[in-house]
């Protein structure tokens, strides 16, 4: 079992920044794919970003097109924490942001659909005012 707890959400003005954190506990491995999704009211949950293991201590990150250049995902395996740095926020970024983990991952796995993830956090609200 893996437990994920997000934090760091809040209210921010357009153009502002927030950093989300996701603390993992339980059976987590540095090779697990870790990702962020978001869900706005009345919309489906959508992929934001994820980080996958390549080899040794090397990981790569991939993003949804609308987040490239504004969001940065990172992980601290020693602290079992996943981060999402969000800059230049827009009102359309308003959503509940979820952390997710995919166990039994292979190197370089690219996982962008929610049903491919095994564990989820409870979410943290991000609201961007115009």
């Amino acid at each position: 079992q893996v437990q994920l707890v997000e934090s760091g959400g809040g209210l921010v003005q357009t153009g502002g920044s927030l950093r989300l954190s996701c603390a993992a506990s339980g059976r987590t491995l540095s090779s697990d794919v870790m990702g962020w999704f978001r869900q706005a009211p009345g919309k489906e949950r959508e992929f934001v970003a994820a980080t996958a293991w390549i080899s040794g201590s090397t990981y790569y990150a991939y993003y949804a097109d609308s987040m490239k250049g504004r969001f940065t995902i990172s992980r601290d395996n020693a602290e079992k924490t996943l981060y999402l740095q969000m800059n230049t926020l827009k009102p359309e970024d308003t959503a509940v942001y979820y952390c997710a983990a995919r166990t039994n991952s292979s190197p370089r796995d690219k996982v962008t659909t929610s049903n491919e993830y095994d564990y989820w956090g409870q979410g943290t609200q991000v609201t961007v005012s115009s």
Side-chain angles (χ1 to χ4, degrees):
Q1 288 289 328
V2 175
Q3 294 78 42
L4 303 171
V5 179
E6 303 96 333
S7 61
L11 174 64
V12 64
Q13 291 185 335
T14 296
S17 299
L18 281 174
R19 188 174 84 152
L20 306 183
S21 299
C22 171
S25 61
R27 196 216 69 84
T28 58
L29 298 175
S30 57
S31 60
D32 292 344
V33 172
M34 300 292 295
W36 289 97
F37 285 74
R38 70 184 185 184
Q39 188 166 19
K43 295 187 176 181
E44 292 187 354
R45 191 168 296 191
E46 67 170 339
F47 173 75
V48 173
T51 173
W53 178 67
I54 297 177
S55 65
S57 60
T58 303
Y59 292 79
Y60 85 106
Y62 46 96
Y63 302 87
D65 287 343
S66 62
M67 287 67 160
K68 287 180 182 177
R70 299 191 300 125
F71 291 8
T72 302
I73 189 171
S74 61
R75 64 196 290 168
D76 183 334
N77 289 326
E79 297 296 326
K80 291 190 174 183
T81 304
L82 181 72
Y83 300 99
L84 184 68
Q85 177 67 43
M86 305 186 293
N87 298 327
T88 319
L89 284 163
K90 308 173 183 179
E92 50 264 43
D93 293 318
T94 295
V96 177
Y97 283 71
Y98 297 92
C99 170
R102 173 185 162 93
T103 57
N104 300 312
S105 297
S106 299
R108 299 180 180 272
D109 265 354
K110 189 168 185 179
V111 188
T112 61
T113 56
S114 59
N115 60 7
E116 295 180 278
Y117 285 81
D118 305 302
Y119 297 96
W120 293 84
Q122 83 290 347
T124 185
Q125 176 70 48
V126 171
T127 303
V128 185
S129 63
S130 57

